[in-house]
Amino acid sequence: MELTHLKYFLEVAKNEHITKSAKNLCIVQPALTKAIHNLENEVGVPLFKSSGRNIKLTPYGQFFYEHLQPLYDEIEKLPQRLRDMRSEE
C-alpha cells in the first residue's frame, strides 16, 4: 500500500465526496478515483459505495478508516519526534 493512497482514502472518507477531496488534495478527480480503485483492488474489498452524488464507506471501509486513522496520525508525527530526539542529544 502506498502512503499517498492511504492519505487519499482518509480524505475521501472524511468528505464523502471525490471532487471535493480532489480539490483539497490539489489533484485531479480522475487521479483520485484511480488511486481509490487501486487501493480497493489491493485490499480486495470495496471501501466505498455510491450514494447519489456522494459516496459512503462500506462496512469494510469503516473498519479500515477506524484502524488506519490512528496509524496515519502516528506516521505523520514521526519526523517531529525524530527532530525532538536530535535536540535532546
Side-chain angles (χ1 to χ4, degrees):
M1 280 183 265
E2 293 185 33
L3 190 57
T4 303
H5 290 176
L6 299 178
K7 177 181 177 180
Y8 292 174
F9 166 78
L10 292 171
E11 182 69 22
V12 174
K14 181 176 76 172
N15 292 310
E16 297 184 334
H17 199 276
I18 292 282
T19 304
K20 181 178 178 182
S21 297
K23 183 177 179 180
N24 291 346
L25 293 164
C26 300
I27 63 171
V28 294
Q29 181 270 329
L32 179 55
T33 300
K34 182 173 174 55
I36 294 297
H37 286 303
N38 287 344
L39 181 59
E40 288 178 322
N41 288 337
E42 188 171 351
V43 297
V45 295
L47 300 171
F48 295 98
K49 62 183 173 187
S50 295
S51 178
R53 296 186 133 200
N54 295 340
I55 58 173
K56 300 282 185 193
L57 288 168
T58 64
Y60 303 114
Q62 186 65 41
F63 176 86
F64 193 56
Y65 179 80
E66 289 171 2
H67 288 81
L68 176 61
Q69 185 65 63
L71 296 171
Y72 191 84
D73 290 344
E74 287 298 313
I75 290 169
E76 288 284 297
K77 292 175 188 175
L78 283 174
Q80 183 60 48
R81 287 185 178 168
L82 289 170
R83 289 189 293 274
D84 291 346
M85 284 176 59
R86 183 175 176 197
S87 66
E88 291 172 5
E89 292 179 344

